[in-house]
Amino acid sequence: MGGDKYVESVKWKRELHKKKGTVCIETTSAMLENGDVFKYLRESLDKHGVLKNAKPPPYRYILKQLCEQHTKDIYALMKSFLSHWKSGDWEKDVLRERLEKEFSGFARARAAIFLEAMFLLREFYDAKLQDNNEVDFDDMLNNATRALHSGEIKNPYKLILADEFQDISRARARMIQAMLKQNMEFKLFAVGDDWQAIYRFAGADIFIMTSFREEFGETAQNVLSQTFRSNQGIADIASQFVSRNQSQIKKDVIASNSFCVGVVNVLRYQYDEHVRPLIESKLREVAGFANAREPISVFILGRYNIKFYDRLLPNKIIYQWEKDFTGKLKIKYKTMHGAKGLEADYVFVLGMNAGKFGFPNELEDDPILRLVMPQKENFEFAEERRLFYVALTRAKQKVYLLARQDRPSSFIEEIVQNDRTGAVIDELADDRGNTTFTPKCRDCDGFLLEREGPHSIFYGCSNWKPDNLGCDYKEDVICPKCEVGTLKARKGHWGLFYSCSEYPQCEYKRNPKNKTASY
């Protein structure tokens, strides 16, 4: 709870209330865990006369106060929980047992309160559906499964084709199993790719496919190993990356296009404002390959929706590019999930950065969802890896991966370090979208980052850490104008700026953290 500092804070508050003669009501985390906290608060307030003649606020007032809180995330959590609960067809007692097994301490108290609230919501929701003579999609699946088991309906089919089988939920699997059990002549033909299983949040359970024989009985498996979309270079990089998770089905991917050199382009940039000119520069290159018959298709992909990248790449800029490159390029923004099943000649992937809202997404699902969601895989970022695989393999010709130079995604570092065929090009971009090969550190396996210091701009090793830990290699940044001097810090009328050491012979200068150059 905060150690000695917390204990000192408690002591100070007690003494202050005693000194001022004011009432201090204390609660403990144990009260919250065992559910006594609200009863204790009511009794304490009543004891001191606070509740005497008090009237509960009107329902509308309470609702208004709730709506003014940040409740959007709570609503989304409740909606997701309800959907997973119905899909899993869990009984209340089973959920209570899972709660006792999965949680302890404060987390258990929180989950218990949430679960009781969900029981009430489920009763209200189901009653509302019944009153309106309606069912939702999960009801249809569950009711059909029960009807099959009871013999109320008969399965008249001998063959069923289930496409995108990697996205199947438990509710759908149960219905198919009920059909199989009822009719021994029934055959299931499932088509899917577990390497593209990216919908666990929507109820998909990858284990139904990877454990197909255990789920459905005697099985014959055929692997469709040839791809007619990506070239061999993209297929090799993507396959090598995703197959590190060995719990997935092993397969080789052979591309009809055997080209494999320089087809995955890592584009590192220093500041976010460099992204726009960088993409625009590459779009001009791609537009040069266009012919008069058909425009080249381009996807700009992101882990999140377009609004998330508004500061990085405003949506209006993409619309402007569509106009500027009319007849040559056909440009569309898609989320990685939204691009599944689609393809483009060239693909740009935004935000390949480490951190909270980077890629892989390091934000965990609310632990409460563990009660109703499909089992999670043991391999770290298993589903995020598959999502990256989907993003890479949308491209037919080439894929560009944009990453902050100072905090690149671990996925970027992995594909760069593991490339043995020359499929990956690793480049560093400047403020105008020009790129050069990423400079490597001369003392270790790191690469050089441009850093702005109090005396100069210099290149420092990416393996350097604060307090001078790690590699401390550095070298001067050469003036881009005269290519003789170095960039030194100077103080002017408007504050710090950097200029060429050869001044006044060379008048190049630059503002800090803003790569807009002045000649």
Side-chain angles (χ1 to χ4, degrees):
M1 291 294 292
D4 293 339
K5 185 179 285 189
Y6 177 78
V7 174
E8 288 298 317
S9 173
V10 171
K11 183 180 177 182
W12 173 78
K13 289 172 185 174
R14 286 172 177 164
E15 291 175 352
L16 180 65
H17 282 286
K18 185 176 180 180
K19 181 179 178 181
K20 298 294 183 181
T22 50
V23 176
C24 177
I25 298 172
E26 295 186 26
T27 61
T28 67
S29 57
M31 292 178 187
L32 195 62
E33 288 176 23
N34 61 32
D36 291 340
V37 65
F38 298 115
K39 179 183 176 183
Y40 173 78
L41 277 173
R42 177 178 287 278
E43 290 175 349
S44 299
L45 292 169
D46 197 29
K47 177 182 175 182
H48 292 284
V50 176
L51 300 181
K52 189 177 181 180
N53 300 323
K55 294 181 180 179
Y59 173 78
R60 290 181 180 276
Y61 173 80
I62 296 174
L63 189 60
K64 181 174 180 293
Q65 294 299 311
L66 282 172
C67 289
E68 289 176 358
Q69 307 304 312
H70 296 289
T71 51
K72 187 176 180 181
D73 291 342
I74 298 294
Y75 296 154
L77 176 61
M78 296 175 87
K79 179 182 176 183
S80 181
F81 189 96
L82 182 60
S83 177
H84 286 297
W85 178 11
K86 297 196 80 172
S87 177
D89 203 21
W90 303 101
E91 296 292 339
K92 289 183 180 180
D93 289 343
V94 174
L95 291 180
R96 289 191 177 102
E97 289 173 8
R98 297 193 77 182
L99 185 147
E100 293 300 317
K101 182 180 178 181
E102 290 281 345
F103 298 99
S104 61
F106 171 74
R108 179 186 291 171
R110 174 179 180 265
I113 293 170
F114 181 85
L115 194 58
E116 292 304 317
M118 288 305 302
F119 289 162
L120 292 172
L121 178 62
R122 174 71 182 270
E123 288 178 13
F124 174 82
Y125 176 72
D126 287 345
K128 198 75 173 175
L129 288 174
Q130 190 172 359
D131 289 345
N132 294 332
N133 195 29
E134 295 174 346
V135 292
D136 60 19
F137 187 70
D138 292 311
D139 284 333
M140 287 192 283
L141 291 171
N142 293 332
N143 292 343
T145 302
R146 293 187 188 103
L148 285 162
H149 280 306
S150 68
E152 181 184 343
I153 59 172
K154 299 294 182 182
N155 170 25
Y157 305 108
K158 291 186 177 180
L159 174 67
I160 185 170
L161 168 63
D163 197 12
E164 299 291 348
F165 198 79
Q166 74 278 354
D167 298 330
I168 194 170
S169 66
R170 279 287 161 191
R172 300 176 197 198
R174 282 196 306 271
M175 187 180 73
I176 293 173
Q177 287 164 339
M179 295 172 78
L180 282 167
K181 188 175 181 180
Q182 194 185 82
N183 185 346
M184 298 306 293
E185 294 183 1
F186 179 83
K187 297 291 187 295
L188 169 62
F189 185 80
V191 181
D193 181 2
D194 63 313
W195 289 6
Q196 298 189 57
I198 57 174
Y199 288 111
R200 179 175 175 268
F201 69 89
D205 190 340
I206 189 175
F207 294 105
I208 298 172
M209 183 169 186
T210 56
S211 304
F212 192 93
R213 187 183 297 272
E214 291 78 5
E215 295 281 346
F216 297 100
E218 190 59 35
T219 299
Q221 179 178 298
N222 295 287
V223 177
L224 304 177
S225 59
Q226 191 164 14
T227 178
F228 296 92
R229 178 188 294 136
S230 302
N231 54 48
Q232 193 63 55
I234 293 174
D236 286 346
I237 293 295
S239 299
Q240 182 186 51
F241 176 83
V242 77
S243 60
R244 280 197 62 198
N245 180 357
Q246 296 185 10
S247 66
Q248 297 166 155
I249 299 170
K250 292 180 174 61
K251 44 190 172 288
D252 296 319
V253 180
I254 309 300
S256 57
N257 180 350
S258 62
F259 192 73
C260 62
V261 178
V263 292
V264 177
N265 203 166
V266 175
L267 301 174
R268 303 180 193 261
Y269 56 92
Q270 187 86 15
Y271 304 115
D272 288 348
E273 54 264 33
H274 296 174
V275 168
R276 192 189 307 178
L278 175 54
I279 295 179
E280 192 166 327
S281 173
K282 294 301 179 183
L283 287 175
R284 287 198 186 95
E285 284 184 21
V286 173
F289 306 140
N291 56 50
R293 289 177 298 166
E294 187 178 356
I296 293 172
S297 57
V298 176
F299 280 167
I300 298 175
L301 301 183
R303 174 64 180 79
Y304 312 98
N305 65 45
I306 187 63
K307 289 182 180 179
F308 179 85
Y309 302 101
D310 192 57
R311 191 172 69 86
L312 193 72
L313 190 66
N315 201 21
K316 63 182 181 181
I317 298 300
I318 298 178
Y319 286 135
Q320 186 60 51
W321 287 339
E322 289 177 351
K323 292 180 180 178
D324 293 345
F325 294 104
T326 298
K328 292 187 175 182
L329 303 180
K330 190 176 181 181
I331 306 169
K332 295 293 179 185
Y333 176 84
K334 300 279 185 184
T335 63
M336 295 178 189
H337 285 94
K340 184 173 175 287
L342 305 177
E343 61 184 40
D345 296 307
Y346 292 82
V347 169
F348 292 82
V349 182
L350 300 176
M352 293 296 305
N353 305 320
K356 189 175 180 181
F357 291 102
F359 186 49
N361 181 4
E362 297 178 8
L363 293 174
E364 292 285 336
D365 293 321
D366 193 296
I368 285 172
L369 290 175
R370 292 207 304 261
L371 295 175
V372 289
M373 281 185 75
Q375 179 185 348
K376 192 173 183 179
E377 297 158 270
N378 292 326
F379 199 85
E380 187 178 32
F381 299 128
E383 187 155 316
E384 291 289 287
R385 294 180 78 86
R386 292 193 291 269
L387 187 58
F388 186 41
Y389 173 83
V390 168
L392 287 170
T393 54
R394 295 314 90 194
K396 292 193 282 186
Q397 303 295 335
K398 192 170 189 176
V399 57
Y400 298 93
L401 306 174
L402 282 80
R404 279 279 297 237
Q405 191 183 13
D406 55 346
R407 47 185 176 89
S409 164
S410 59
F411 289 177
I412 288 286
E413 299 309 291
E414 185 175 329
I415 65 169
V416 169
Q417 292 170 13
N418 292 335
D419 177 38
R420 299 291 181 269
T421 63
V424 179
I425 300 174
D426 191 4
E427 293 186 301
L428 176 65
D430 64 15
D431 58 310
R432 288 165 289 171
N434 301 319
T435 56
T436 56
F437 288 110
T438 303
K440 303 297 181 182
C441 177
R442 297 181 183 179
D443 288 352
C444 71
D445 61 354
F447 56 88
L448 299 183
L449 292 169
E450 187 180 284
R451 305 186 192 275
E452 294 180 344
H455 307 295
S456 66
I457 296 178
F458 61 93
Y459 288 122
C461 181
S462 59
N463 288 329
W464 176 84
K465 297 289 187 289
D467 301 323
N468 292 318
L469 299 174
C471 179
D472 60 358
Y473 177 83
K474 60 183 177 181
E475 60 184 53
D476 292 328
V477 171
I478 303 300
C479 173
K481 183 180 180 182
C482 68
E483 299 182 347
V484 174
T486 57
L487 301 184
K488 302 296 183 183
R490 304 182 192 276
K491 194 168 184 180
H493 181 70
W494 303 106
L496 180 74
F497 68 98
Y498 297 97
S499 67
C500 182
S501 61
E502 296 297 301
Y503 178 84
Q505 284 77 19
C506 177
E507 297 183 349
Y508 176 88
K509 60 179 181 288
R510 196 179 91 191
N511 294 324
K513 294 193 182 292
N514 181 351
K515 308 263 306 214
T516 303
S518 173
Y519 290 90

